[in-house]
Amino acid sequence: VILLCFRRYLLMALFSCLFGNTFALSAAVDSKPNILLFLADDLGIGDIGCYGNNTIRTPNIDSLARGGVKLTQHIAAAPLCTPSRAAFLTGRYPIRSGMASSNGYRALQWNAGSGGLPTNETTFARLLQQQGYITGLIGKWHQGVNCESVNDHCHHPLNHGFDYFYGMPFTLLNNCQEDKHPELDAALQAKLWLYSHIITLAVLTLTAGKLTGLISIHWKTIACFTLVGGIFFGSWYSSYGFVQYWNCILMRNHDIIEQPMRLERTSSLMLKEAVSFIKRNRHRPFLLFVSFLHVHTPLFTTAKFLGKSRHDLYGDNVEEMDWMLGKILDSLDKEGLTNHTFTYFASDHGGHLEAHDGSTQLGGWNGIYKGGKGMGGWEGGIRVPGVFRWPGVLPAGTVINEPTSLMDIYPTVVHLAGGILPQDRVIDGRNLMPLLRGRVQKSEHEFLFHYCGSYLHAVRWHQKDSGAIWKAHYVTPIFHPLRAGACYGKGICPCFGEGVSHHDPPLLFDLSRDPSETKPLSADTEPLFDTVIGKIGRATEEHRRTLTPVPEQLSLYNIMWKPWLQPCCGTFPFCWCDKEGDSTQSL
């Protein structure tokens, strides 16, 4: 009997050695993995080590890349926060959902605006929720809050498929830190402040003239000037004068817990919440979307990281974000979930070149790529890091140079969860799993369309038979100063009007030979010029036929501040609270 048992044990051991890894891999793929998504804010592709930076330390992101798959041509669907994130959440170009702007305001401006991600859009969180996943969002939202009343929460994360939300319904701004220059609509604020001074000066001059008899004017006229001036000042200062209170708030689900936020403890709170979410949901499939507030200005960084990098405050902030990511991955490992978790890291768009304080650069570096945040066509505004890890399923140390999109995350995670994509709308993303696992060698994307607001600036054609990546620019921003590579005189490059150049024929580049877009081709230098331009033009017309009119969520009315929609933890306008107190602990 002992001999028979021993023989059976040897056979089982041999069987396990020969086929164990195969069955483990099959089980990992067939079962529903946890899904952990990291999205940085304003991070340039050249800011992290695995994409060539050797002066900013990002060991945890680099380790993620070594243990998985790195994409070198990962493209955001828009060069600004609000539309890019809308596309990420829905798998659709933002123009399809109304999250692309035709005016100068291309992102949501207020928590108390009425625009935001429409309720008829279906996020990947909603589809995963339907597949039994517990879904959580920690960090930045920037997709709106309310529509018609202060408590309808129509655009809120909990109304878009997330079971749990902890973070900012808006985005970080310089206005969130008292010692920083205002960032929200700074040019308009300066004009309104000037007009207020002019009106005040006029009232004082008229009053002095009346009292000295130098000006013949009725007191009623002076009173009227004073009233109009007071209304003018009060109407704009009631919003812009209290940006820190109106926009810089922290929420848990529908409850405001800090108004305004205490930035010195925000990173600790976000990290604590992410680790806690993983721990309490370790026994069921979960989706955790960690939407970093880093590395958007004002770059508030805790003392532990201040002055530690070689790139001033920006580098400090990047290194703190990498440390936070490492701590979250450590918690995943501690719970024994690493091998059963599909992990992804990216940035919402390129680094902000125009962000600076004197000679100190406060924005990211986009490597060899031209342009940056706000530029819908140039690579620096839309080419971002893209890193995946799933031990035992995705081959470690793989680099993929094929064109992919942030919109691809939508069908990819829905596929992993066993869900079905919506059949009543166009989904522009493609399932990446065959490409990531090496089952196919080519991306499913033949064309990618690059919008700046609602204006099409460029189109990319992946010519699969030759390997060429053609890119035609119909519109490009006019740099300020000229040849500066950015719009330093404007803060961010415009999408239309006098600040752009239109090209007919379009500027054409072959990114496979000229990724920096420095040598535009012509019919004289490229034999295929007319063929390529014609092919891209026909694809553009076909793409436009798939677009249907939808309400513009970023219209001037929708983005304006509305007092009746202002989230407030007190009695409006006395909005102030601190429910976190001293609950933070070091992690």
Side-chain angles (χ1 to χ4, degrees):
V1 173
I2 293 174
L3 185 61
L4 286 172
C5 290
F6 182 67
R7 289 175 61 188
R8 181 178 298 174
Y9 173 79
L10 287 177
L11 287 171
M12 290 175 63
L14 180 61
F15 188 81
S16 177
C17 289
L18 290 174
F19 303 106
N21 290 337
T22 301
F23 284 134
L25 175 61
S26 177
V29 174
D30 292 340
S31 62
K32 295 179 178 179
N34 301 311
I35 295 170
L36 176 57
L37 308 176
F38 294 103
L39 193 64
D41 195 2
D42 287 16
L43 180 74
I45 192 172
D47 289 329
I48 50 182
C50 56
Y51 283 88
N53 192 306
N54 57 10
T55 59
I56 296 179
R57 294 164 295 188
T58 55
N60 296 294
I61 300 172
D62 299 345
S63 175
L64 202 64
R66 285 194 302 272
V69 179
K70 182 179 76 171
L71 305 178
T72 64
Q73 199 177 162
H74 200 40
I75 308 298
L80 277 181
C81 308
T82 296
S84 175
R85 289 162 182 269
F88 176 72
L89 288 161
T90 64
R92 290 153 51 81
Y93 287 108
I95 196 169
R96 298 193 191 278
S97 60
M99 297 295 278
S101 170
S102 61
N103 59 66
Y105 295 94
R106 290 184 273 156
L108 293 172
Q109 301 291 300
W110 302 99
N111 279 325
S114 53
L117 191 63
T119 55
N120 62 353
E121 287 294 324
T122 303
T123 67
F124 57 67
R126 174 73 69 202
L127 295 179
L128 266 64
Q129 198 177 50
Q130 294 170 0
Q131 295 302 310
Y133 276 70
I134 186 76
T135 57
L137 167 60
I138 309 296
K140 172 177 174 171
W141 176 237
H142 210 187
Q143 298 294 301
V145 183
N146 299 308
C147 289
E148 298 178 356
S149 68
V150 72
N151 291 317
D152 66 31
H153 297 123
C154 67
H155 301 307
H156 191 279
L158 268 59
N159 201 40
H160 278 294
F162 289 98
D163 296 302
Y164 184 74
F165 169 60
Y166 185 95
M168 284 191 78
F170 196 62
T171 180
L172 274 183
L173 295 166
N174 276 348
N175 307 70
C176 296
Q177 192 171 338
E178 293 181 356
D179 59 345
K180 299 291 184 180
H181 296 295
E183 181 177 358
L184 182 66
D185 227 347
L188 178 60
Q189 285 189 64
K191 288 181 181 179
L192 294 174
W193 187 246
L194 175 62
Y195 297 157
S196 297
H197 277 74
I198 293 173
I199 293 172
T200 302
L201 182 61
V203 170
L204 291 175
T205 301
L206 291 173
T207 302
K210 174 68 174 177
L211 291 173
T212 59
L214 295 175
I215 300 176
S216 178
I217 190 171
H218 293 292
W219 284 113
K220 287 184 178 180
T221 304
I222 296 175
C224 184
F225 265 101
T226 304
L227 179 62
V228 171
I231 293 173
F232 175 81
F233 176 79
S235 63
W236 75 265
Y237 192 79
S238 62
S239 55
Y240 287 108
F242 296 91
V243 172
Q244 187 178 15
Y245 286 85
W246 300 158
N247 280 349
C248 307
I249 67 176
L250 200 59
M251 297 182 79
R252 176 182 282 112
N253 295 327
H254 291 146
D255 298 325
I256 301 173
I257 56 175
E258 284 187 358
Q259 190 171 15
M261 294 166 56
R262 298 276 300 275
L263 293 181
E264 66 272 13
R265 65 189 184 198
T266 300
S267 294
S268 178
L269 288 170
M270 297 295 177
L271 179 54
K272 178 183 175 183
E273 287 289 333
V275 170
S276 176
F277 183 90
I278 291 172
K279 185 174 183 179
R280 67 177 180 267
N281 295 298
R282 61 189 180 277
H283 296 306
R284 61 181 296 184
F286 64 76
L287 160 71
L288 176 57
F289 176 19
V290 179
S291 180
F292 286 113
L293 303 181
H294 300 64
V295 288
H296 199 292
T297 50
L299 301 174
F300 191 90
T301 308
T302 54
K304 180 178 180 180
F305 291 91
L306 280 177
K308 299 299 175 64
S309 79
R310 293 165 58 183
H311 286 279
D312 300 314
L313 187 58
Y314 183 82
D316 298 344
N317 205 241
V318 173
E319 292 187 1
E320 181 178 53
M321 178 191 69
D322 179 82
W323 173 81
M324 291 174 66
L325 180 144
K327 286 294 184 182
I328 295 170
L329 293 179
D330 287 346
S331 71
L332 201 67
D333 197 48
K334 182 179 178 181
E335 301 298 338
L337 299 174
T338 298
N339 291 344
H340 195 60
T341 301
F342 177 85
T343 303
Y344 167 75
F345 173 83
S347 177
D348 56 356
H349 49 69
H352 190 185
L353 301 180
E354 295 90 350
H356 60 88
D357 184 6
S359 61
T360 302
Q361 179 67 25
L362 300 178
W365 182 50
N366 300 312
I368 65 171
Y369 304 109
K370 180 183 291 187
K373 176 180 178 177
M375 304 183 208
W378 295 122
E379 288 292 282
I382 54 178
R383 192 182 287 223
V384 297
V387 177
F388 296 84
R389 186 189 71 178
W390 189 1
V393 178
L394 301 183
T398 301
V399 177
I400 295 176
N401 299 315
E402 293 288 296
T404 57
S405 169
L406 264 70
M407 296 183 292
D408 297 338
I409 301 307
Y410 185 96
T412 302
V413 299
V414 171
H415 165 77
L416 292 175
I420 299 175
L421 295 176
Q423 301 300 305
D424 61 344
R425 64 199 64 191
V426 176
I427 301 296
D428 297 297
R430 299 291 182 264
N431 178 14
L432 289 177
M433 284 307 292
L435 185 66
L436 296 176
R437 297 183 65 191
R439 300 291 176 82
V440 300
Q441 302 303 312
K442 297 293 183 181
S443 165
E444 286 191 41
H445 289 290
E446 184 176 9
F447 296 95
L448 285 171
F449 302 91
H450 307 307
Y451 283 89
C452 186
S454 60
Y455 303 90
L456 185 66
H457 274 206
V459 179
R460 177 185 317 246
W461 175 29
H462 180 206
Q463 191 178 7
K464 299 182 183 181
D465 56 350
S466 69
I469 306 289
W470 304 102
K471 188 168 166 200
H473 289 261
Y474 295 98
V475 184
T476 56
I478 299 173
F479 294 143
H480 188 274
L482 291 175
R483 301 184 185 86
C487 300
Y488 293 103
K490 299 182 178 181
I492 199 163
C493 288
C495 296
F496 62 96
E498 296 180 355
V500 302
S501 295
H502 295 265
H503 305 284
D504 185 16
L507 298 179
L508 182 67
F509 299 90
D510 180 359
L511 299 181
S512 60
R513 294 179 290 171
D514 180 21
S516 300
E517 298 174 289
T518 59
K519 302 171 185 176
L521 304 171
S522 67
D524 295 329
T525 61
E526 175 52 62
L528 295 176
F529 182 86
D530 292 331
T531 301
V532 172
I533 294 299
K535 178 79 172 180
I536 291 176
R538 290 188 294 274
T540 301
E541 290 305 313
E542 184 178 340
H543 163 71
R544 284 182 167 142
R545 285 194 290 270
T546 70
L547 303 177
T548 56
V550 292
E552 187 176 323
Q553 296 297 319
L554 301 177
S555 67
L556 291 176
Y557 174 78
N558 278 336
I559 65 163
M560 68 181 291
W561 182 72
K562 302 175 179 67
W564 61 92
L565 296 183
Q566 179 59 52
C568 181
C569 61
T571 301
F572 183 83
F574 305 104
C575 303
W576 183 92
C577 63
D578 181 6
K579 298 179 183 178
E580 285 292 352
D582 297 322
S583 64
T584 59
Q585 298 178 356
S586 297
L587 289 171

